[in-house]
Amino acid sequence: MEEFINYILQFGNLNKQQTDFIVGKAKTLELHKEDYFSEAGKIPRQVGFLLEGVVRFCYYNNKGEEITQYFIDENNFVSDQQRFEAQVVASEYIQAVTDCKLLVFSKKDWDEIGNTIVGWDAITGLILKNCLLKTIERRSPLVSEDATTRYLSFIEHFPGLVTRIPLSHIASYIGITQQSLSRIRKNIR
């Protein structure tokens, strides 16, 4: 809980009564490895804050191949925020890569927080902007680099994840086959 409060306080000032109100709306959710937090074809029902574990955003391309877009680890929000806010069908999956523990907020509770706490929309706007910047920062250089450089970049941006997530997900994220990733890992040791 403390990590969550510290995280949101980076983006705005809230008093103890307000943080207690927010925490009072949160429920704890545990996901097992490979469980879905949100699924393509369904309306996202909740916003989460990841206390433990790693999730990934992924989709299937027109060839039926699974593509990992990015990973989120502890002490970050997990949400298909635009579709959650608009209550429209998601086009991607959010899946637990490891066992996860999250604080979650239903749409009703999330809206109630926004309607009760003055300035909450500004705080969540800054949080969303921060999340988008992190995603762009981690993702954009991968497009123009060779596979070895993309893997080294992955290690630099996600140093704690290399040993925690399957190689197949890393390979998908950097846009290569698992066999190619194995060769790269062997060559850089």
Side-chain angles (χ1 to χ4, degrees):
M1 238 10 125
E2 189 177 327
E3 295 91 350
F4 171 68
I5 297 301
N6 290 338
Y7 183 87
I8 59 174
L9 289 177
Q10 295 175 67
F11 300 98
N13 294 319
L14 297 168
N15 63 38
K16 175 133 176 53
Q17 184 180 0
Q18 291 169 317
T19 58
D20 288 348
F21 178 76
I22 295 165
V23 168
K25 297 292 178 187
K27 310 257 185 304
T28 303
L29 173 69
E30 294 194 11
L31 294 176
H32 296 289
K33 181 179 178 177
E34 298 185 11
D35 285 352
Y36 291 103
F37 179 75
S38 176
E39 295 182 67
K42 296 182 179 178
I43 295 171
R45 298 282 175 212
Q46 53 200 2
V47 169
F49 183 81
L50 196 54
L51 297 170
E52 295 172 16
V54 180
V55 299
R56 69 183 181 125
F57 282 66
C58 59
Y59 66 93
Y60 290 90
N61 67 14
N62 57 6
K63 296 176 187 169
E65 300 164 328
E66 188 179 81
I67 308 295
T68 298
Q69 287 186 288
Y70 53 94
F71 299 97
I72 296 176
D73 58 2
E74 288 91 356
N75 301 320
N76 287 292
F77 271 94
V78 176
S79 172
D80 186 341
Q81 197 63 27
Q82 286 180 312
R83 289 174 182 85
F84 172 77
E85 291 293 347
Q87 287 294 278
V88 296
V89 171
S91 58
E92 59 190 6
Y93 296 88
I94 303 174
Q95 183 184 37
V97 178
T98 64
D99 288 344
C100 295
K101 184 176 178 183
L102 302 100
L103 290 178
V104 294
F105 300 88
S106 68
K107 177 72 170 134
K108 176 183 166 286
D109 288 339
W110 191 254
D111 288 345
E112 194 174 325
I113 293 167
N115 293 331
T116 304
I117 297 177
V118 176
W120 181 246
D121 288 344
I123 291 170
T124 57
L126 289 171
I127 290 170
L128 186 59
K129 186 176 178 182
N130 182 57
C131 292
L132 289 172
L133 287 173
K134 275 187 193 174
T135 303
I136 290 167
E137 175 186 297
R138 290 175 172 175
R139 191 69 186 157
S140 58
L142 297 180
V143 178
S144 60
E145 298 170 341
D146 67 74
T148 302
T149 307
R150 290 195 308 259
Y151 178 64
L152 293 171
S153 181
F154 175 83
I155 293 170
E156 180 185 327
H157 285 102
F158 299 102
L161 297 188
V162 175
T163 58
R164 294 175 66 192
I165 59 179
L167 290 181
S168 59
H169 294 334
I170 297 171
S172 171
Y173 176 78
I174 62 176
I176 61 174
T177 65
Q178 193 170 341
Q179 293 81 2
S180 296
L181 179 57
S182 293
R183 276 193 300 278
I184 290 168
R185 287 168 52 98
K186 188 175 155 188
N187 290 337
I188 62 173
R189 282 192 185 141

